[in-house]
C-alpha cells in the first residue's frame, strides 16, 4: 500500500438523524475503536441532528459555556464532542465525522494530510453532482491551549 493510505478501505456510514447525545456517543465509540486498533479501514459517517442541538468541544466546560437551566427548560439537547473546537448549533445540516488511523496504512500520515484528503474527497463528490467547488488554502494553526472564554 502506498504511503498516505492510497488503498485504504473507506466505509461510508449514512447514519441519518439522531439527537446530540446519540450522535456524539456514536462518534466516541468509533474513535475509541480506532485508538485501540479495533477499527479496520476508515469510516466516514454522515448524519444529521434531530432535534436540533448543541455540541461542545471536549475542552469546554458546559456550565460556563451554556445557560444549562435555560436549555434544559427549553428541551435543547446537547453533548460534548470527543474532539476539540468550540460550541456549535446543529440544525438543518448534514454533518460528518471521519475516523481512521494516521499511518502509512491509514487514511493519511498526519492530521493536515487527513484534512486535505477529506476535503478533496468531498470536492470530487460534490463536483460529480454538479455543485461548483473551489478548494481554499487553509490557515495553519499550531498546537496550543483552547481559546480563553474571556
Amino acid at each position: 500500500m502506498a504511503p498516505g493510505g492510497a488503498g485504504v478501505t473507506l466505509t461510508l456510514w449514512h447514519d441519518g438523524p439522531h439527537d446530540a447525545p446519540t450522535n456524539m456517543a456514536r462518534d466516541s465509540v468509533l474513535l475509541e475503536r480506532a485508538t485501540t486498533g479495533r477499527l479496520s479501514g476508515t469510516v466516514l459517517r454522515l448524519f444529521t441532528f434531530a432535534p436540533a442541538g448543541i455540541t461542545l468541544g471536549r475542552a469546554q466546560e458546559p456550565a460556563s459555556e451554556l445557560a444549562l437551566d435555560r436549555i434544559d427548560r427549553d428541551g435543547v439537547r446537547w453533548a460534548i464532542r470527543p474532539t476539540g473546537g468550540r460550541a456549535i448549533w446543529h440544525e438543518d445540516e448534514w454533518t460528518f465525522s471521519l475516523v481512521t488511523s494516521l499511518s502509512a496504512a491509514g487514511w493519511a500520515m498526519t492530521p493536515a494530510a487527513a484534512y486535505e484528503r477529506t476535503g478533496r474527497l468531498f470536492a470530487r463528490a460534490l463536483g460529480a453532482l454538479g455543485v461548483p467547488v473551489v478548494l481554499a488554502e487553509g490557515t495553519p494553526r499550531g498546537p496550543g491551549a483552547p481559546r480563553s472564554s474571556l
Side-chain angles (χ1 to χ4, degrees):
M1 182 173 308
V8 71
T9 300
L10 175 65
T11 300
L12 177 61
W13 180 12
H14 182 255
D15 196 19
H18 303 285
D19 66 9
T22 301
N23 274 325
M24 294 306 96
R26 289 174 181 229
D27 278 352
S28 292
V29 168
L30 285 172
L31 188 58
E32 188 271 334
R33 287 181 182 165
T35 58
T36 59
R38 296 182 296 128
L39 184 72
S40 61
T42 296
V43 176
L44 176 61
R45 180 174 164 258
L46 303 174
F47 56 99
T48 61
F49 286 78
I54 300 169
T55 61
L56 300 176
R58 71 175 175 212
Q60 291 186 282
E61 180 58 44
S64 60
E65 299 290 339
L66 301 173
L68 292 172
D69 55 339
R70 182 174 176 191
I71 66 171
D72 286 345
R73 182 183 67 237
D74 293 344
V76 175
R77 302 290 302 198
W78 65 274
I80 297 174
R81 290 187 305 279
T83 58
R86 306 290 292 164
I88 300 172
W89 173 258
H90 300 276
E91 182 176 17
D92 296 329
E93 66 186 25
W94 278 97
T95 303
F96 78 92
S97 62
L98 184 112
V99 181
T100 190
S101 63
L102 294 177
S103 67
W107 185 249
M109 295 288 289
T110 66
Y115 280 112
E116 180 177 352
R117 185 171 186 192
T118 304
R120 292 188 187 289
L121 171 77
F122 277 111
R124 282 192 313 274
L126 291 169
L129 294 171
V131 177
V133 177
V134 175
L135 288 175
E137 190 74 29
T139 304
R141 291 179 56 175
R147 288 179 271 184
S148 170
S149 60
L150 297 176

